[in-house]
């Protein structure tokens, strides 16, 4: 399988079956993020305990890349210390997605990362 195919399959898999999609009604922290280029929006819900992400969910609508990125990142940050989340880079997100995306789609790929970057200021 070429990297390109892997990339497309991984994005499609998470888009069609997003992990942690939903709402946490008693969340400790809720953060919305809009992609100003298209108006798509995701909302993340976090349960935080002893400085760690104990539960995470997201809702909203967006393109395949933004939903796949939110799904993959939500899996990735569970049980991580909030103080370490600022170390997640855009490059890490692209690796998790399985490869680079077109420059015009970087905002889509990083929509969820922008939420993660706002956790520290809000928690
Ligand atoms: Fe809207 Fe990708 S086109 S988030």
């Amino acid at each position: 399988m070429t990297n390109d195919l892997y990339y497309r399959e991984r994005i499609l898999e998470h888009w069609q079956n997003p992990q942690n999609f939903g709402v946490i009604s008693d969340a400790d922290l809720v953060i919305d993020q809009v992609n100003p280029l298209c108006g798509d929006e995701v909302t993340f819900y976090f349960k935080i305990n002893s400085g760690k992400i104990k539960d995470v969910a997201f809702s909203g609508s967006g393109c395949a890349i933004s939903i796949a990125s939110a799904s993959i990142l939500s899996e990735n940050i569970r049980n991580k210390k909030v103080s370490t989340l600022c170390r997640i880079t855009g490059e890490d997100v692209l690796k998790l997605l399985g490869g680079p995306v077109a420059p015009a789609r970087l905002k889509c790929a990083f929509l969820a990362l922008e939420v993660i970057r706002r956790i520290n200021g809000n928690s």
Side-chain angles (χ1 to χ4, degrees), residues 9-67:
E9 279 190 11
R10 185 155 169 77
I11 287 177
L12 281 179
E13 180 190 306
H14 277 272
W15 179 53
Q16 288 165 348
N17 186 23
Q19 304 300 297
N20 304 307
F21 192 83
V23 171
I24 298 174
S25 54
D26 61 343
D28 298 310
L29 179 64
V30 178
I31 300 179
D32 287 311
Q33 188 73 39
V34 175
N35 180 346
L37 300 178
C38 63
D40 289 339
E41 183 172 8
V42 291
T43 303
F44 269 76
Y45 307 84
F46 302 98
K47 289 292 282 181
I48 298 172
N49 197 318
S50 303
K52 281 189 175 177
I53 303 290
K54 285 298 174 193
D55 198 8
V56 53
F58 74 97
S59 63
S61 63
C63 63
I65 293 176
S66 67
I67 296 298

Side-chain angles (χ1 to χ4, degrees), residues 102-121:
R105 307 306 299 280
L106 285 174
K107 272 271 182 205
C108 308
F110 297 157
L111 193 61
L113 179 61
E114 289 181 39
V115 171
I116 306 303
R117 287 191 170 142
R118 289 172 53 205
I119 294 177
N120 269 318

Side-chain angles (χ1 to χ4, degrees), residues 1-13 97-100:
M1 184 187 295
T2 67
N3 280 346
D4 191 43
L5 260 183
Y6 171 74
Y7 151 73
R8 274 184 284 161
E9 279 190 11
R10 185 155 169 77
I11 287 177
L12 281 179
E13 180 190 306
L97 281 170

